Amino acid sequence: MMMQKSTLITSFSFFIISLAQAQSGYWQQRVEYTMHIKMNVMAHQFDGDQKLVYYNNSPDTLSKVYYHLYFNAFQPGSMMDVRSRTISDPDRRIADRISKLNDNEIGYQHITSLKQDGKEVVYKVNGTILEVTLAKPLLPKAKSTFEMKFNAQVPLQVRRSGRDNREGIAFSMTQWYPKIAEYDYQGWHAYQYVAREFHGVWGDFNVSITIDPTFMVAGTGILQHPDKIGFGYEKPGTSVGKETGDITWNFMAKDVIDFAWTADPDYTHDRAQVANGPELHFFYQKNEKTTESWKKMEEIAVKVFQYLNTHFGKYPFDSYSIIQGGDGGMEYPMCTLILGEGSLQGLSGTMAHEVAHSWFQMTLASNESLYAWMDEGAADFASSEAMASLDDKRNPHAGSYGSYFSLVASGLQEPASQHSDHYSTNRAYSTAAYSMGAIFLEQLKYLIGEDNFYKGIRRYYNTWKMKHPNPNDLIRVMEKTSGLQLGWYLRYWINTTKRIDYGFGQLTEKDGASLLDIKRIGDFPMPIDLVVTYKDGSKENYYIPMNELAGSKPDEGNPRIIAETWPWVYPTYTLKVNKNPSEIDSIEIDPSQRMADIDRKNNKLIMAERAPFKDQTK
Ligand SMILES: [Zn+2]
């Protein structure tokens, strides 16, 4: 009864908050899941009961709803299997492994009963999507309760979810339950599970897992009865009785977009507290490949949380678990599953990336399928800065620029605006999502200045937390914070494959000053930071505004001369430099190297190395 009451109060206050913070016209659906799972650990199967209260906050009447049945992807001939066997650069973790799964190794989720408000509904399964025709249309601002019974087989681990993976984790239970698809202003996002990614409905989860008493369970949410369960969850010093029969673990999570868990008999459970932040839980199998690195990683994880709290906004939950899942890292609400073995450096880098997803996905829940760059790029960006802050590495984003330049050179680049599953190569996807996403933010610093950037990113976080921001929402907050216009930048960087390339033309002397021609060689216009170094060692900074920006960024602490605006249609611009060419030692475009200029060789003019009147672009 208490539980029921507190759920009601939370839903009500959530509604009020949503109204107060809502952007004009913004709405989002809401879910309340209550699930009970009974695991058969020998057969790798489970029976599930799912009660889902679904709130239609949309202005539309819904006659159908869709669920994801992700486990069905792990069957020979599935779209994930065929895609992996036909794409030119398959993910080696998947390759042809799905095609070789036996009947007792495949995954499935079978629905045995489904009712809407007590009435049976008609449904059909198409691959990894369950299409449900409602017994009664769901009106705007109305809710329905769906009651489902299902059984499932956990696939032998291939990617993300599964059992008995190569690091020996018994159950990595991600994408494990029939999950209602998100419906938003773009309609249903009921994508087949081909490879990636996810988009979930905000809501509350109450999950009970009944399992063999030797298994330790870790995952999303807060364990409701730690002193009875033990396994390191109990208050220190509490004595916990040993159970002989199956144990039921009950986890609750509020305002999350998904629920993941793992179970293994050999986990060790450590805890660490972040000052003014969450309690961290670490779950791993202790052995010669993990013991030392996991212990050392704990302190790094605390520092990463502190850095991200300061720079990107406050982590909104009380708890976070870092769990050896036995496959590459994957982010979930309030937890991550990562590979457990390997070097401390690799482990910490993956941990930091997945932790950063707590900001960029588990709080700012962008649609990963459509805008993977918004969460993968931002997570890479934030975690690189957090890790660099620990070891004073000079440029945390150099790797992202390198990957982007290399993709451009390969000829495989595709616009970052594509659906994650529809890139022609995995490489084009990953570079667009991770590297170009990170560069998008670093280059935004270049455009609006570092102070505006961090103010803006925290304002974005606080404005859009627990919602589904899209690219325009991000750029609008940055515009409001900086006073500059940035829509052009979003369109060029994300929707096209246009490239930035600037270089020098002629340098001539006139009335004791220098006239320097700057050439826009690429078809992506940018404002220009430029530094002139004189032979006496002094420097002069210039800033050339570009008219699409409709203004100039602040000076970022370096005095500078603001030159006349460059109307972007002009291929060449002439800058007047105050001193005679004979006094100049060198001139450099973009000395901070935050602009993704694909040819940096022509960005620096060293007077001694060049005939002064030669056009460098010819
Ligand atoms: Zn990621």
Side-chain angles (χ1 to χ4, degrees), residues 21-256:
Q21 295 181 346
Q23 314 306 299
S24 79
Y26 181 82
W27 51 268
Q28 67 189 18
Q29 307 295 69
R30 175 168 174 78
V31 288
E32 284 160 18
Y33 285 98
T34 307
M35 291 191 270
H36 187 200
I37 308 306
K38 194 164 170 23
M39 283 297 288
N40 177 341
V41 297
M42 299 305 288
H44 319 112
Q45 293 172 351
F46 60 95
D47 292 319
D49 272 318
Q50 183 191 81
K51 184 178 127 189
L52 167 61
V53 184
Y54 182 69
Y55 295 80
N56 178 19
N57 295 328
S58 82
D60 306 322
T61 298
L62 305 178
S63 57
K64 287 185 177 179
V65 300
Y66 298 85
Y67 287 74
H68 298 277
L69 304 175
Y70 292 112
F71 275 8
N72 291 0
F74 301 102
Q75 297 174 7
S78 72
M79 285 180 72
M80 185 186 278
D81 175 31
V82 173
R83 181 65 166 165
S84 178
R85 286 188 285 120
T86 53
I87 198 164
S88 63
D89 60 342
D91 181 336
R92 266 176 282 167
R93 292 168 294 194
I94 305 175
D96 63 351
R97 289 174 64 207
I98 297 174
S99 69
K100 294 177 173 160
L101 295 174
N102 299 320
D103 284 353
N104 62 357
E105 294 171 336
I106 62 167
Y108 59 72
Q109 285 152 332
H110 288 158
I111 312 305
T112 53
S113 158
L114 181 55
K115 290 178 182 164
Q116 175 196 10
D117 299 323
K119 293 194 194 81
E120 296 281 350
V121 293
V122 177
Y123 57 86
K124 67 174 184 220
V125 174
N126 170 18
T128 59
I129 294 296
L130 173 73
E131 180 187 319
V132 180
T133 303
L134 297 182
K136 196 174 149 218
L138 185 51
L139 299 175
K141 313 295 171 211
K143 65 175 179 176
S144 263
T145 300
F146 296 100
E147 283 173 292
M148 178 191 282
K149 289 189 190 305
F150 66 101
N151 59 63
Q153 178 165 287
V154 184
L156 186 66
Q157 195 274 344
V158 174
R159 183 76 187 101
R160 303 189 182 104
S161 329
R163 65 171 170 94
D164 303 316
N165 59 45
R166 64 193 158 109
E167 290 193 346
I169 304 301
F171 293 106
S172 293
M173 300 294 283
T174 60
Q175 295 87 38
W176 59 278
Y177 62 98
K179 178 182 172 186
I180 198 158
E182 182 58 302
Y183 180 80
D184 62 21
Y185 73 105
Q186 292 167 304
W188 283 104
H189 299 279
Y191 311 122
Q192 293 286 342
Y193 189 25
V194 175
R196 56 178 87 89
E197 289 264 314
F198 306 101
H199 189 37
V201 189
W202 282 105
D204 298 341
F205 287 73
N206 179 350
V207 178
S208 299
I209 299 151
T210 301
I211 192 166
D212 180 280
T214 60
F215 283 73
M216 192 189 295
V217 178
T220 301
I222 306 283
L223 183 64
Q224 295 299 294
H225 42 167
D227 291 347
K228 195 160 162 268
I229 292 278
F231 285 101
Y233 283 97
E234 71 276 15
K235 260 190 242 80
T238 310
S239 76
V240 182
K242 269 268 168 274
E243 298 282 338
T244 47
D246 283 0
I247 295 181
T248 298
W249 300 61
N250 178 217
F251 291 90
M252 297 201 27
K254 291 194 176 305
D255 294 332
V256 294

